[in-house]
Amino acid sequence: MVRIKNYLSLVKFSHTIFAMPFAMIGLFLGGTYGDPVYNSYLQNQLVGYWHPFVVTALLVVICMVTARSAAMAFNRYLDRSFDAKNPRTAIREIPKGIISPESALRFVILNSILFVAATWFINPLCFYLSPVALFVILFYSYTKRFTMLCHLVLGLGLALAPIGAYLAVTGMFDLLPILFSLSVIFWVSGFDIIYAMQDVDFDQSQQLHSIPASLGKERALQLSNVLHFISAACIIVAGIYGAFHWIYWIGTAVFCGMLIYQHSIVTPNDLSRVNIAFMTANGIASVVFGVLVIAAMFL
């Protein structure tokens, strides 16, 4: 149990709360707005025991957990030398010797294999696109070494959740899940900029790239505001385009309210509440919005 706890801590499993609700939105969008296509071997074998949608939902959850675990563990593996030098991150599992680099890399490979295997059981399109998804989420770990746009790459990685789940059900692309994916890109990149403000001095000393390290805290926070505004706009456009039940707009109000709240408690000169803005505000935004959007589909 201690070993499991260490690996859950390594990948910050609690942060799954950010993307999982949007994956569920994509899943239920496919089931209610799309044209479900169940054509994998596993789904065909289980017809008569469980509904194919339930099987797909379980496989999507497996994909989400394994892909995210692979990405986070790879990030910890690749950044282990930087983490050891940074007082804020020196307590992480690899720098402290709780988990060896070799074990972390094996964990990455195992989760990557499980992710690809799960997509094979969903449908051919998801299987064919699985290497692309893996490339995006693993490549993010390199981006801080050469571009300040690393936050947008992180956002892109998490934005694969709603469109990927929609593809799992329908086997085709559509505008509505893409709008939710765009919202995730700008939402995640916006709050990652806020989080990165804690490491400006360290990043500059190590020649690592981030928007706060490149533009300064004040301008970075302004850009984060712009990105969050675009994220909210995408959610509003999705609501209008999807003609959702009015409960959708309550979820939208909560989501936008949490964006405003996190910007109200973080300033360039006061980063003491960054973790509240990062975890609490965004966790509430994601979960409440996800639940109400799914409820709006049923209503």
Side-chain angles (χ1 to χ4, degrees):
M1 290 303 297
V2 172
R3 189 175 181 84
I4 292 174
K5 183 179 179 181
N6 288 337
Y7 276 96
L8 292 177
S9 177
L10 174 73
V11 300
K12 294 291 182 183
F13 188 76
S14 59
H15 291 184
T16 307
I17 196 172
F18 297 143
M20 187 65 78
F22 281 90
M24 294 299 101
I25 289 173
L27 185 79
F28 282 96
L29 276 177
T32 56
Y33 281 70
D35 184 16
V37 176
Y38 306 110
N39 56 0
S40 77
Y41 172 79
L42 179 63
Q43 290 162 338
N44 291 331
Q45 294 302 306
L46 292 178
V47 170
Y49 297 94
W50 295 286
H51 192 282
F53 183 83
V54 175
V55 178
T56 302
L58 292 174
L59 289 170
V60 166
V61 171
I62 292 172
C63 286
M64 284 291 301
V65 172
T66 54
R68 190 191 169 281
S69 296
M72 282 295 296
F74 187 63
N75 182 263
R76 296 292 188 259
Y77 169 79
L78 204 63
D79 285 356
R80 61 192 185 279
S81 61
F82 294 117
D83 287 345
K85 298 174 185 177
N86 188 343
R88 187 180 67 82
T89 58
I91 60 172
R92 289 175 176 171
E93 287 70 23
I94 296 179
K96 287 192 69 176
I98 297 172
I99 295 175
S100 70
E102 296 76 18
S103 295
L105 187 58
R106 286 193 292 269
F107 185 75
V108 172
I109 295 171
L110 174 61
N111 277 279
S112 298
I113 292 172
L114 291 173
F115 169 72
V116 174
T119 63
W120 186 83
F121 284 116
I122 295 175
N123 62 46
L125 180 61
C126 288
F127 176 67
Y128 298 146
L129 290 176
S130 61
V132 178
L134 271 179
F135 173 79
V136 172
I137 61 177
L138 296 179
F139 176 68
Y140 157 72
S141 296
Y142 288 99
T143 56
K144 202 171 185 180
R145 288 158 170 79
F146 62 87
T147 177
M148 70 175 183
L149 300 180
C150 53
H151 316 283
L152 289 167
V153 180
L154 176 64
L156 177 63
L158 271 69
L160 298 176
I163 187 62
Y166 187 88
L167 288 174
V169 178
T170 67
M172 62 185 296
F173 292 92
D174 204 349
L175 178 59
L176 196 52
I178 290 175
L179 286 171
F180 284 109
S181 288
L182 288 173
S183 176
V184 172
I185 290 175
F186 297 115
W187 169 54
V188 171
S189 57
F191 74 64
D192 191 56
I193 289 173
I194 295 175
Y195 192 74
M197 290 171 62
Q198 300 175 101
D199 295 324
V200 169
D201 294 337
F202 178 80
D203 289 347
Q204 290 173 340
S205 70
Q206 299 297 314
Q207 296 184 327
L208 294 173
H209 299 270
S210 72
I211 286 177
S214 300
L215 303 182
K217 295 179 183 179
E218 186 172 351
R219 292 176 65 189
L221 200 55
Q222 292 171 353
L223 181 56
S224 175
N225 267 304
V226 173
L227 293 173
H228 279 163
F229 177 82
I230 298 172
S231 175
C234 290
I235 283 178
I236 292 170
V237 172
I240 295 171
Y241 180 79
F244 288 100
H245 186 274
W246 59 264
I247 201 170
Y248 176 94
W249 299 107
I250 297 179
T252 300
V254 172
F255 187 87
C256 295
M258 287 297 100
L259 295 183
I260 295 170
Y261 170 71
Q262 65 184 281
H263 284 279
S264 71
I265 63 174
V266 176
T267 67
N269 299 319
D270 183 6
L271 304 179
S272 61
R273 291 183 286 182
V274 164
N275 285 326
I276 296 176
F278 176 73
M279 189 65 194
T280 305
N282 289 303
I284 292 173
S286 180
V287 172
V288 174
F289 181 70
V291 168
L292 292 180
V293 171
I294 292 170
M297 296 182 208
F298 284 101
L299 294 172

